[in-house]
Amino acid sequence: MNFKFSKPIVIAALTAFISYQSAAQVGVGVKAPKKAEVYFDGSRQMLDEKWTYWDGPRLAATLPIKWFIVNDPVDKGTALNTNDPAAAGGKYGSADIVTKEKFRDFRLHIEFLIQKPGGNSGVYLQNRYEIQVLDGDTTSHGMAAVINETPSPYYAYNGVGKWNAYDIVFRAARFKDGKLIEKALVTMYFNGKKVHKNQHINQVWGGPNSGIDGGNDGGKGITDTPGGLKLQAEGHDVLYRNIWIQKMDINKSSTDF
């Protein structure tokens, strides 16, 4: 039996397939592609191997890392709880952890779950620029905001007790003769929805306890140095899992994907 399909039907089918493939690359549960490196797989071994405390001015914690491995409350496997005793009371910078490896341009996938209302953490790109993790806040300081730079896309949040995913392409600031000529740039999907596109990041917010260059010219004095992926401890039960990074070299001033 022979079937013949019209050109419009073939095109529609191909378009649907491509859309499916694109959608499958972002959101909760996406696995690392071959070119990426996994930075947290749920194991204590990988935590100790690839992460350390950020040695910032407020560091109060001591190695080994006191963040602890817990059973995934939703799925099989284990996750990482940020509730380090040294960060009790919301003292960010006192027990934040950062990858030992440093990055310039990269693609990041990271999943988080907030166990209680008001849970607070943060994902810091290059140990500078915070993508907020904060339940209940819909402002530019709130959930999934490029902190103080964009509104919170709170509509995309799955809520307390559920896993959420950030998929990010980040392009580091560019310099010439030591001077900043292009600001850092980010595009981000939140639970499969594109929420930021080619967003410039003007500065490091939160002062010297927040990240690299936070105390340099009020956070505006960005330097030409790579930085690790940092996760913030603020004394809350916020869990992380499935963290992977693919290094990139983004020549054009665009991070859209």
Side-chain angles (χ1 to χ4, degrees):
M1 185 179 293
N2 294 322
F3 292 95
K4 292 185 178 180
F5 297 99
S6 66
K7 188 175 181 181
I9 291 176
V10 172
I11 292 173
L14 286 172
T15 301
F17 176 75
I18 292 168
S19 298
Y20 170 79
Q21 289 290 87
S22 298
Q25 295 172 6
V26 296
V28 175
V30 171
K31 300 304 179 186
K34 291 182 179 180
K35 293 183 179 180
E37 182 172 347
V38 175
Y39 282 85
F40 184 68
D41 61 358
S43 70
R44 180 77 212 190
Q45 180 181 353
M46 186 170 286
L47 175 65
D48 291 333
E49 176 187 338
K50 297 189 177 184
W51 298 79
T52 189
Y53 283 120
W54 174 50
D55 189 14
R58 192 188 269 177
L59 178 64
T62 56
L63 292 170
I65 294 171
K66 303 303 186 296
W67 296 31
F68 50 100
I69 306 298
V70 298
N71 290 328
D72 190 321
V74 176
D75 302 311
K76 294 179 180 178
T78 52
L80 179 63
N81 191 318
T82 70
N83 200 349
D84 192 302
K91 294 180 180 179
Y92 64 88
S94 61
D96 296 350
I97 65 170
V98 64
T99 58
K100 295 175 183 179
E101 188 166 7
K102 297 175 174 61
F103 308 95
R104 292 189 184 275
D105 305 343
F106 58 87
R107 158 84 159 92
L108 165 69
H109 176 87
I110 185 167
E111 298 177 18
F112 67 89
L113 181 150
I114 297 176
Q115 291 194 294
K116 300 174 185 177
N120 193 357
S121 180
V123 175
Y124 283 74
L125 311 178
Q126 247 195 355
N127 196 357
R128 285 184 175 88
Y129 311 108
E130 183 180 9
I131 307 298
Q132 180 66 287
V133 174
L134 178 56
D135 175 74
D137 192 330
T138 61
T139 71
S140 61
H141 194 269
M143 178 63 73
V146 181
I147 197 163
N148 297 330
E149 304 270 1
T150 71
S152 162
Y154 205 85
Y155 62 88
Y157 176 42
N158 285 335
V160 172
K162 298 179 181 179
W163 283 106
N164 297 268
Y166 289 163
D167 287 282
I168 293 168
V169 169
F170 172 82
R171 184 177 187 263
R174 290 324 200 238
F175 296 80
K176 185 176 182 179
D177 300 326
K179 294 184 178 181
L180 180 70
I181 58 171
E182 292 183 59
K183 295 176 181 178
L185 198 64
V186 66
T187 293
M188 177 173 134
Y189 286 78
F190 185 19
N191 292 327
K193 301 177 178 68
K194 186 181 287 186
V195 294
H196 306 306
K197 178 181 175 182
N198 284 330
Q199 173 66 43
H200 284 99
I201 311 178
N202 292 296
Q203 68 171 84
V204 176
W205 298 90
N209 297 319
S210 184
I212 297 172
D213 297 329
N216 191 6
D217 190 21
K220 294 181 173 64
I222 306 301
T223 55
D224 189 12
T225 53
L229 175 70
K230 189 178 73 174
L231 304 179
Q232 191 177 69
E234 289 213 45
H236 294 263
D237 292 314
V238 178
L239 311 185
Y240 287 101
R241 72 177 188 185
N242 193 17
I243 304 172
W244 52 264
I245 296 174
Q246 180 178 340
K247 290 183 177 180
M248 303 180 75
D249 188 7
I250 305 173
N251 294 317
K252 294 183 179 179
S253 184
S254 175
T255 53
D256 192 22
F257 72 111

